[in-house]
Each structure stands twice: as C-alpha cells, then as structure tokens.
Amino acid sequence: TYGWDKGDVNSSSLNFNFPLPGRFNKYNAMAAICVGLSQGVSMETCQKALERAKGVPGRMEEVISKPFKIIVDYAVTPDALEQLYQTVKEIHSPSRIIAVFGSCGGGRDKWKRPLFGEIALKYCQEIIVTNEDPYDEDPMEIINQVAAGAKGKAKKILDRREAISEALKTARPGDVVVVTGKGCEPWIITSKGKIPWSDKRIILEEYGKLY
C-alpha cells in the first residue's frame, strides 16, 4: 500500500493497494500512472486498474510455497538480478537464498558474466551456476566465467534440470530458491537448435519427485 498526492487533480490523496511485490514493480506502476494521466485517464481509474493487477508469468513468479518457496524470474541483467535478490530478502526474510542461474545467451554480453556471480555471492548462501542459452558457445565455458565472480563459492552443474533438482534437495523450510534467466521462455537454444523447456514445469516435476 502506498499513497499518491493527486496534486493538480485536487488536494486529497489516494491509497493504492498494489498487489505486486517489490520496489521495482511500484516504480513501474508509478510510470504507468504518469502515462495514464498524460492521456486523460483519471487517478481513480488508475487506482482501480492497478489494484486488479496480476503477476506476469516468469516474473517474480512463486511456483512453490511450502515447505520452502521457489521463485522463477527472467532477470538477465545485473541490475535486474540484484533488485530481485533484494526484493526476496526484504519480503520473505529467508533463512537462505539458494540461487540457480546461468548468464545471458552465448555470443554476447560477456562482461556481465562475472558480475552475475558477484551479485549472487553478495545475497545468496547457496549458488548453483548452470546452462541457459549457449547458442554456439561452449556452455561449460560460460558457466566457468559466471562462477568465477562467485570466487569459488558456486557449484557448477551443466544440466539445468539437475541444477534445479540439486537446489530443491538442498532447500529447507525458511529458504527461498530463486531460479533465474529463463522466466517463461519455452526453449533452451544450443548450437544444435531449440530444446523445449520450462523452468516452471521442471521445478514442479522435480518437486513432485521429492514431496
């Protein structure tokens, strides 16, 4: 819940019961309000619309709630990853954050790779670096570059299903497992083409084997 001074609209204010978690979602909501006001949409209409907002698949999506939480998010930039971990820490106060992630796709943005490892090391107690979208690059080389930023504190598991399974086996009540990089994308893209994939589906399948 947060307030908005209506300023020139009139002298009162409105409280928004915005259901999406995280400071970044609030910033997005305020940007949407500004666009709406610029187009003649009333503040009251903005309020009603935002209070009915639903989460976006693969964006801060809580897939499992008990006995620990599992969250899927896209987060393919250092800033997005850091904001995600900050939000998880602020909202859930987890005993541990267990990270499962790769990096950006192969053949681009190599500078980000060690930064991902550094950010995970800053916020997460368990780190698993895995495959994502290697394209024509050696996926293990990408993993090594990401893990280097975690200064030897990351497990390296090439198979993404195995990495997710390992995180679930490691998790305990009070922990939050955060799986990032794919969001709701339906493929892993390799040098041999597209492999059908869903982080959410794999999480549910591996969770079902354990509970």
Side-chain angles (χ1 to χ4, degrees), residues 92-156:
H92 299 296
S93 300
S95 302
R96 298 182 302 166
I97 298 176
I98 300 173
V100 180
F101 65 101
S103 180
C104 57
R108 60 186 184 273
D109 295 339
K110 295 182 181 181
W111 62 271
K112 303 194 300 193
R113 295 172 185 175
L115 289 181
F116 275 57
E118 290 176 16
I119 292 166
L121 182 62
K122 180 179 177 182
Y123 291 96
C124 306
Q125 288 66 52
E126 297 286 340
I127 303 169
I128 301 173
V129 182
T130 189
N131 192 26
E132 201 168 289
D133 287 310
Y135 288 83
D136 293 328
E137 274 197 74
D138 177 355
M140 202 65 218
E141 180 59 26
I142 297 174
I143 289 171
N144 287 334
Q145 291 172 16
V146 176
K151 306 186 187 307
K153 299 296 178 66
K155 295 179 182 177
K156 295 182 283 187

